[in-house]
Amino acid sequence: MDTENIHHQNTGDESGGISRKTLLKAALVAPIPLLVGQAPALARDARRTDGLLDPTPFCDDGDDPTVAQTEGPYFKPNSPRRTSLAGPGTPGVPLTVSGYVFGRSCRPIANALLDFWQADTNGAYDNSGFGFRGHQFSDAQGAFELTTIVPGLYPGRTRHIHVKVQAPNRPVLTTQLYFPNEPRNNTDMIFDPSLVMTVRTVGSGREATFDFVLDIVGTPSPSPTPTTSPTNGGGTWQAGTDYKAGDQVTYGGVTYRCLQGHTAYAGWEPPNVPALWRRV
């Protein structure tokens, strides 16, 4: 299995040419300026060379009960598909996180799965439901946007947002996003400065940006357009079934192997959730 490491780009654009990522940045309606003394947090701002972009370094989560559970003890599969984890009445400081998913050759990755989860404003995770949990897919330009709140603090950690990122038909990357100028950044043993977002205050809320650079050269093979259709695909996969890692099912005439145990439900058909199923 390929290893998906990622590296956050923080090299300023010192060249006179216009790179593909520079053009993508120019397409944004309101580019977010850098804070004083803060390095660029966007891969699309990185200097374009004839070489490949560095992948973002893998970030191991110190909350892990065992080494194998790098996402920490609070990850739950089957999160609902949504781009907003918070509404107008949700307690906390409003936050939007946006950016792109790129490959190392500076090509945006469409239909990349991004699964986010975080603590609420009091530092608590919802382990009984799916509060502050949700997944989405990058658009045709590799862009994503998440609406949420600034997560609260809990003992031993600085502020952070968990995320799994997966290009179509490629391994899952698990990492965390951090906030600049947090006092606990200096004492959190897991904190990685390369994973700090660019953040600015807008009114009573905050806007953050971060680009993921997956360890992929070229353009990943396409996957079916994500859907929430509850059809069974004419195979053995069935919503409501408890699947274990290694189980095999058929869906739409194709065989899939389960990558991690979960309860299936409509919207998580094998072609739609490469984090849970791999085509055999």
Side-chain angles (χ1 to χ4, degrees), residues 4-239:
E4 289 255 8
N5 295 333
I6 59 171
H7 179 73
H8 175 60
Q9 300 298 306
N10 59 6
T11 302
D13 186 357
E14 300 170 357
S15 65
I18 300 177
S19 70
R20 182 182 294 108
K21 286 196 290 301
T22 301
L23 291 174
L24 284 172
K25 179 181 178 182
L28 293 176
V29 174
I32 296 178
L34 297 176
L35 301 179
V36 175
Q38 181 179 337
L42 304 180
R44 58 184 177 274
D45 286 338
R47 179 179 179 182
R48 179 61 173 162
T49 68
D50 293 333
L52 299 173
L53 295 175
D54 291 333
T56 308
F58 184 80
C59 180
D60 184 45
D61 186 337
D63 291 337
D64 294 352
T66 66
V67 173
Q69 298 181 350
T70 55
E71 70 271 2
Y74 304 122
F75 173 71
K76 292 178 62 176
N78 302 342
S79 70
R81 183 180 176 185
R82 57 190 180 189
T83 59
S84 179
L85 307 185
T90 303
V93 178
L95 171 71
T96 60
V97 181
S98 62
Y100 290 89
V101 181
F102 289 109
R104 294 188 63 192
S105 54
C106 194
R107 296 178 181 174
I109 299 176
N111 285 342
L113 171 68
L114 299 103
D115 196 348
F116 295 94
W117 71 103
Q118 66 171 78
D120 64 17
T121 191
N122 297 315
Y125 286 84
D126 181 4
N127 296 317
S128 59
F130 289 95
F132 294 104
R133 300 175 185 271
H135 76 279
Q136 60 179 276
F137 295 86
S138 61
D139 66 15
Q141 288 73 45
F144 70 92
E145 183 171 293
L146 176 72
T147 301
T148 183
I149 64 166
V150 175
L153 294 168
Y154 61 90
R157 294 304 315 276
T158 190
R159 297 185 199 277
H160 61 282
I161 297 174
H162 294 270
V163 58
K164 287 178 179 286
V165 187
Q166 183 178 35
N169 303 313
R170 298 302 297 263
V172 180
L173 173 144
T174 302
T175 192
Q176 301 175 54
L177 301 179
Y178 295 96
F179 294 79
N181 306 318
E182 285 286 331
R184 290 195 185 182
N185 288 351
N186 297 324
T187 58
D188 189 326
M189 297 299 293
I190 307 303
F191 170 76
D192 188 330
S194 69
L195 297 170
V196 172
M197 300 179 289
T198 297
V199 181
R200 70 168 182 171
T201 298
V202 179
S204 60
R206 296 184 186 179
E207 293 181 354
T209 52
F210 189 90
D211 293 340
F212 296 95
V213 180
L214 302 182
D215 194 5
I216 295 172
V217 178
T219 303
S221 57
S223 65
T225 301
T227 177
T228 56
S229 172
T231 177
N232 62 15
T236 60
W237 180 90
Q238 291 290 336

